[in-house]
């Protein structure tokens, strides 16, 4: 697991999410989509008013093609957790 704070561009070790039922449903649907189509390596989940966003990504260190689909910052986080 890797967690990146997009605003500070720093890795995080722990987060707490407070979600509405609708947001939980959206995350569930997004995770199912990632399981069914891992080549589409990420999904965006927005708050109801679109002021906040969670991006969930799937990666596989054993699959360079999947890893190479990420940007340079993401690859650094995935490989080195920094």
């Amino acid at each position: 697991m890797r967690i990146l704070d997009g605003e500070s561009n720093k890795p995080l070790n722990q987060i707490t999410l407070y979600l509405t039922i609708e947001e939980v449903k959206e995350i569930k649907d997004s995770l199912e989509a990632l399981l069914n189509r891992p080549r589409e390596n990420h999904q965006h989940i927005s708050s109801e008013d679109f002021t906040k966003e969670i991006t969930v990504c799937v990666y596989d260190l054993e699959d360079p093609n999947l890893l190479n689909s990420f940007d340079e910052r993401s690859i650094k986080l995935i490989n080195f957790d920094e």
Side-chain angles (χ1 to χ4, degrees):
M1 176 186 295
R2 305 291 188 257
I3 305 169
L4 179 68
D5 177 342
E7 289 183 8
S8 71
N9 196 29
K10 295 183 182 200
L12 301 173
N13 293 319
Q14 181 179 0
I15 61 169
T16 302
L17 299 175
Y18 299 86
L19 305 169
T20 66
I21 295 297
E22 289 304 313
E23 291 164 343
V24 170
K25 289 176 183 176
E26 190 174 346
I27 285 178
K28 178 184 173 278
D29 292 344
S30 295
L31 293 175
E32 286 177 354
L34 286 174
L35 283 171
N36 292 327
R37 297 180 306 276
R39 295 281 175 229
E40 297 173 20
N41 63 13
H42 72 282
Q43 294 280 322
H44 300 278
I45 301 100
S46 297
S47 61
E48 291 178 15
D49 62 2
F50 298 97
T51 60
K52 295 174 178 58
E53 181 179 85
I54 298 168
T55 303
V56 290
C57 305
V58 62
Y59 67 92
D60 181 352
L61 293 173
E62 304 299 318
D63 185 346
N65 291 324
L66 185 59
L67 195 59
N68 289 335
S69 64
F70 288 101
D71 63 17
E72 189 175 316
R73 177 62 182 106
S74 297
I75 292 170
K76 180 180 178 184
L77 179 73
I78 291 167
N79 282 325
F80 307 108
D81 199 15
E82 57 182 50

